[in-house]
Amino acid sequence: MAYKYKNYIFDLYGTLVDIHTDEEQPELWEKMAKKLLDEYGAEYTASGLREKYLLACKEETDALIEKTHAEYPEIQIENVWARLIEDGIRDENHKAETDGSKAAGNRVNPDDLEGLCIFFREASRDKLCKYQDTDRLLSELKSAGKKIFLLSNAQLFFTRKELEDVDIAKYFDDIFISSDNGVKKPQKEFMEKLLKKHGLNPTECVMIGNEVFSDGGVAKANGVDYIFVQDGDFSKII
């Protein structure tokens, strides 16, 4: 195969992997309310939890914008869940010294909430699979001596597990997740950090993704070519 570029930068969801999630389903919030109560002693109704979750996401985003002045900020979702656990305990006047919950009497460490975040993701998800030609494409690029990178608007705790589930992490020379960087595509600095870290010449790179605004936008901002793909059709990449 005659691949044109030296470096291939891929989006993940909707590009290499087909996924569907629904965070509005009432059953999801019923499951999460039960889990927070059972494991952390934080008490919510399902509807109350969803409302507080959306509010906490907004407040975390506003705080990040104020701190970094990013146009396209990306929060870490584990910080939201840490806040919700702490608030749920305080709001219901649990006795921190005696109730035995994991969070009792202490602030919750967001880094300890990977399991909770994965539970939330998997409870909201009804589809996760590679597109038919994903392995073939990535394997051929690797065999051709190309560098392959992932630049994904995503949450680390979600995506790390999902990359394992679909078994494609092995192909990438490096993986950049927006929640780790505080910004997301099309913010120029997100791709710029990848280019600088690996000393990549933008003219030797291509961004491949299914969203013109975010994937195409970040590529244009960094002087990188862009190839639009949809539904696992990689014919334009060759």
Side-chain angles (χ1 to χ4, degrees):
M1 296 293 181
Y3 291 106
K4 177 179 178 181
Y5 301 90
K6 289 186 177 180
N7 310 295
Y8 288 75
I9 305 171
F10 284 91
D11 171 56
L12 180 60
Y13 299 110
T15 299
L16 298 171
V17 170
D18 193 7
I19 190 170
H20 182 263
T21 63
D22 181 2
E23 294 185 0
E24 296 186 4
Q25 54 179 305
E27 296 83 358
L28 168 64
W29 297 101
E30 291 168 4
K31 290 178 182 178
M32 293 308 300
K34 184 177 186 303
K35 190 169 185 68
L36 292 192
L37 180 61
D38 291 348
E39 296 194 10
Y40 301 95
E43 190 165 352
Y44 289 96
T45 63
S47 60
L49 178 58
R50 182 172 184 271
E51 181 179 344
K52 289 288 184 68
Y53 171 85
L54 294 174
L55 177 61
C57 287
K58 181 181 184 304
E59 291 176 346
E60 287 286 321
T61 300
D62 290 345
L64 186 57
I65 292 173
E66 184 175 352
K67 178 181 178 181
T68 66
H69 305 290
E71 186 174 3
Y72 301 99
E74 182 74 280
I75 64 172
Q76 293 178 312
I77 205 65
E78 58 267 29
N79 293 334
V80 170
W81 287 111
R83 285 182 55 179
L84 292 172
I85 292 169
E86 293 169 2
D87 290 348
I89 293 172
R90 286 196 297 268
D91 290 349
E92 296 301 325
N93 297 314
H94 283 268
K95 296 179 181 179
E97 295 84 0
T98 60
D99 71 358
S101 71
K102 294 181 181 179
N106 298 294
R107 289 191 60 82
V108 179
N109 184 350
D111 292 340
D112 294 335
L113 299 181
E114 183 168 5
L116 178 66
C117 292
I118 290 172
F119 179 88
F120 173 73
R121 177 68 157 189
E122 294 182 346
S124 71
R125 192 185 71 212
D126 58 22
K127 184 178 187 180
L128 175 70
C129 61
K130 291 178 283 192
Y131 288 112
Q132 181 177 348
D133 291 327
T134 293
D135 280 307
R136 179 187 63 79
L137 171 65
L138 297 178
S139 179
E140 287 181 358
L141 287 171
K142 208 71 176 172
S143 296
K146 307 302 182 179
K147 295 291 186 180
I148 308 174
F149 302 94
L150 185 68
L151 190 76
S152 179
N153 286 356
Q155 290 293 322
L156 176 64
F157 284 175
F158 297 168
T159 302
R160 184 158 56 194
K161 175 66 161 54
E162 288 171 345
L163 284 171
E164 292 176 3
D165 290 344
V166 299
D167 191 29
I168 61 172
K170 60 191 177 186
Y171 295 112
F172 298 110
D173 292 279
D174 206 349
I175 293 171
F176 276 63
I177 303 297
S178 57
S179 69
D180 266 359
N181 291 272
V183 292
K184 59 187 176 182
K185 298 172 289 187
Q187 187 93 26
K188 177 183 179 181
E189 289 79 8
F190 189 24
M191 177 181 280
E192 186 176 54
K193 183 176 180 181
L194 185 159
L195 298 176
K196 287 183 176 180
K197 178 180 177 181
H198 294 278
L200 305 182
N201 182 342
T203 64
E204 298 175 342
C205 301
V206 62
M207 176 76 211
I208 299 164
N210 70 319
E211 295 186 0
V212 173
F213 177 74
S214 61
D215 300 319
V218 76
K220 182 178 180 180
N222 285 278
V224 169
D225 285 350
Y226 169 61
I227 297 175
F228 173 78
V229 300
Q230 190 172 30
D231 298 328
D233 180 4
F234 303 130
S235 57
K236 295 179 182 178
I237 299 175
I238 299 174

